[in-house]
Amino acid sequence: MNTEDIQLVKIVRNLEDISIKDPSDEDEDVKFIDQLEVIIPPSSSRSDLSPLDLKTIELLELIEQYEQLINDSYRLNFINGYLNLSRANYNYISRRFSSNSFDYRPYSACKEISIDQDTQEFSIIDNFAVEKAKQNKTKSNKETKETKEKEESSYSSSTTTPKQLTNTTTTTSLKKRKDASTTSKEKSSIITEDPISDTPTKPSLRDPVNQFGSLVPYQLRQSQDYFNKALADSIAVINLRTKIDQLITDIEKLNQEQEDKEVN
Amino acid sequence: MSSHTESMTKRSLIATIADEDSVTGLLLAGVGQVSTEVGKETNFLTVIPEKTTVEQIEEAFDRFTSTRDDIAILLINQHLADLIRFKVDSYTNAFPAILEIPSKDHPYDPSKDSILKKVRRLFGE
């Protein structure tokens, strides 16, 4: 037996052994794993493999990702979503969160899908979050401008001394009125120049949890969080399924071509 | 090619055929849309046991997959997909994509996963 066969036998024996290992034996496992890489080369050195083998390895890697996603995060997010929804319904027996409470007045979807034209992959666009971010930005911009203007007006009023005020109160008050009018003009000019409107605009999209009321139990919000994650996982699952399906089709074609060659 | 890309950009909604809790959860996630346009009133069907018939489920499936051109993904509970299994399995279009999701009373069953069945068939199991 050559050295490679001996290593293979050792690796197989190690994999078949289900006993709880001594921590001092871990070094031997690491050695076996290093040896394993000699037999199954890492992805960087797969140039010697046939297209069929490459596609098969890619398929196996995708299946591993798919099974991990399906059995861990995807499954658990749905379970936790249902659990919290049930808790919300149990705690508020008089007001069940179900189809009787759905809002059937016209509204747009908060979450939409965008399809990449090259890879045909799906991705989620959260319209509600985008609109909320815009609202917060305009609010913060407006607040910073108002604070700046306040600081400027307070600085200009603090420069006048009490003596000056007693001598010519009417002129200073007129000046102040003039100053006030000029600052208000400046303000209005700023407002007209600024494309951001002064009045707070209500978002056209609504938080879906509000269709069940303005004060909802925290379990319902927790359920919403889990279903948001479950939705993101669902999109990832769909993308993986599409890739796996495509690879299976390619492998079947290559298998068919190989069989035809062998027959000929 | 341009009409194909146009049709792809039109498809932006997620439709749902599921039981009450699943639809409630997915509406909380923000997939629901209600409009006054004829034929596109809602993008979800709430299946209530002993009230919703299999024909209604089939009709909703056909509406979301063939009639409507704005649906990108259809989410359907696995146990409801079993009621219309023939329709779901014979569906071959790329869009809208169909995904079977677990429900509260019927958790995910890997033995019914069509992709894993295909993989097993490929490896000769």
Side-chain angles (χ1 to χ4, degrees):
Chain A
M1 273 169 97
N2 58 14
T3 49
E4 273 186 24
D5 290 332
I6 294 165
Q7 283 170 4
L8 192 62
V9 166
K10 276 185 185 172
I11 288 162
V12 168
R13 274 190 198 155
N14 189 48
L15 288 169
E16 284 173 343
D17 184 10
I18 57 167
S19 59
I20 298 165
K21 290 193 170 44
D22 192 19
S24 60
D25 291 339
E26 276 176 7
D27 293 334
E28 287 182 28
D29 290 340
V30 170
K31 282 183 202 169
F32 284 143
I33 289 163
D34 288 336
Q35 286 161 1
L36 202 65
E37 280 181 353
V38 168
I39 294 159
I40 300 169
S43 52
S44 57
S45 61
R46 287 179 187 167
S47 53
D48 300 334
L49 298 172
S50 67
L52 180 62
D53 291 335
L54 284 169
K55 294 237 177 234
T56 310
I57 291 170
E58 204 182 328
L59 177 66
L60 291 170
E61 284 169 356
L62 283 177
I63 289 167
E64 194 201 344
Q65 278 179 43
Y66 179 77
E67 284 193 325
Q68 228 170 19
L69 180 62
I70 281 268
N71 292 319
D72 292 342
S73 137
Y74 175 78
R75 196 182 125 260
L76 285 174
N77 283 327
F78 270 107
I79 288 171
N80 286 324
Y82 291 129
L83 189 64
N84 282 287
L85 184 60
S86 302
R87 275 188 189 155
N89 280 325
Y90 179 76
N91 289 336
Y92 290 78
I93 295 166
S94 58
R95 192 179 59 162
R96 198 179 145 73
F97 304 106
S98 65
S99 55
N100 295 330
S101 325
F102 290 169
D103 187 357
Y104 284 101
R105 291 172 296 179
Y107 64 89
S108 303
C110 292
K111 295 231 171 77
E112 287 184 347
I113 294 290
S114 100
I115 305 170
D116 187 289
Q117 287 174 18
D118 300 320
T119 58
Q120 313 273 295
E121 276 191 17
F122 297 99
S123 54
I124 296 181
I125 304 169
D126 193 344
N127 295 325
F128 183 68
V130 165
E131 203 170 306
K132 219 177 174 183
K134 271 185 194 171
Q135 285 275 313
N136 290 338
K137 205 179 175 183
T138 54
K139 252 186 183 176
S140 62
N141 283 343
K142 191 187 151 196
E143 277 166 11
T144 49
K145 274 185 180 156
E146 277 175 3
T147 48
K148 272 184 187 172
E149 282 153 16
K150 274 181 186 172
E151 280 168 12
E152 280 168 11
S153 61
S154 64
Y155 177 71
S156 62
S157 62
S158 65
T159 51
T160 54
T161 58
K163 279 184 184 177
Q164 284 173 346
L165 278 168
T166 49
N167 286 334
T168 51
T169 51
T170 52
T171 52
T172 51
S173 61
L174 279 170
K175 273 185 191 172
K176 277 185 183 175
R177 236 191 285 160
K178 273 186 186 174
D179 289 336
S181 65
T182 51
T183 50
S184 67
K185 275 182 190 172
E186 283 169 6
K187 267 186 192 174
S188 60
S189 66
I190 286 164
I191 286 163
T192 52
E193 282 165 21
D194 192 352
I196 299 158
S197 64
D198 196 30
T199 55
T201 53
K202 284 182 184 175
S204 55
L205 297 167
R206 301 192 296 262
D207 189 351
V209 80
N210 291 335
Q211 68 183 296
F212 299 109
S214 51
L215 287 172
V216 292
Y218 78 94
Q219 291 99 339
L220 196 67
R221 291 196 188 273
Q222 277 183 328
S223 175
Q224 186 183 37
D225 282 339
Y226 282 116
F227 273 107
N228 278 331
K229 289 175 191 171
L231 186 67
D233 286 340
S234 303
I235 304 306
V237 163
I238 289 171
N239 289 331
L240 279 171
R241 285 171 69 98
T242 314
K243 287 181 193 170
I244 290 170
D245 209 16
Q246 185 58 45
L247 274 171
I248 289 172
T249 316
D250 293 343
I251 289 170
E252 282 173 347
K253 265 188 197 167
L254 286 169
N255 275 332
Q256 190 62 43
E257 281 170 15
Q258 255 191 353
E259 281 174 15
D260 292 341
K261 273 184 191 173
E262 283 167 12
V263 164
N264 293 332
Chain B
M1 195 65 189
S2 61
S3 62
H4 175 67
T5 51
E6 268 176 43
S7 66
M8 267 169 51
T9 48
K10 251 185 173 179
R11 292 185 181 279
S12 60
L13 294 179
I14 303 172
T16 314
I17 298 174
D19 57 16
E20 218 167 7
D21 284 334
S22 305
V23 171
T24 307
L26 289 167
L27 288 187
L28 284 171
V31 306
Q33 176 162 296
V34 176
S35 81
T36 51
E37 203 178 326
V38 176
K40 297 183 181 181
E41 286 86 4
T42 60
N43 64 337
F44 53 90
L45 173 73
T46 313
V47 175
I48 299 165
E50 294 173 19
K51 275 191 180 174
T52 313
T53 60
V54 175
E55 286 79 23
Q56 282 175 307
I57 298 172
E58 276 181 11
E59 186 270 329
F61 181 86
D62 290 334
R63 186 162 26 98
F64 293 143
T65 54
S66 313
T67 316
R68 285 182 72 156
D69 58 354
D70 56 350
I71 306 290
I73 292 172
L74 172 61
L75 301 176
I76 180 168
N77 279 144
Q78 208 171 34
H79 72 281
L80 295 177
D82 287 339
L83 298 175
I84 54 168
R85 183 51 63 194
F86 174 70
K87 266 199 180 301
V88 173
D89 283 350
S90 57
Y91 178 83
T92 50
N93 295 350
F95 304 104
I98 296 178
L99 180 66
E100 295 176 30
I101 58 171
S103 69
K104 191 175 77 169
D105 302 322
H106 300 87
Y108 170 71
D109 186 355
S111 66
K112 291 181 184 172
D113 191 327
S114 58
I115 269 290
L116 295 180
K117 274 188 198 171
K118 270 189 183 176
V119 169
R120 279 189 225 113
R121 214 180 315 130
L122 179 71
F123 290 119
E125 286 180 32

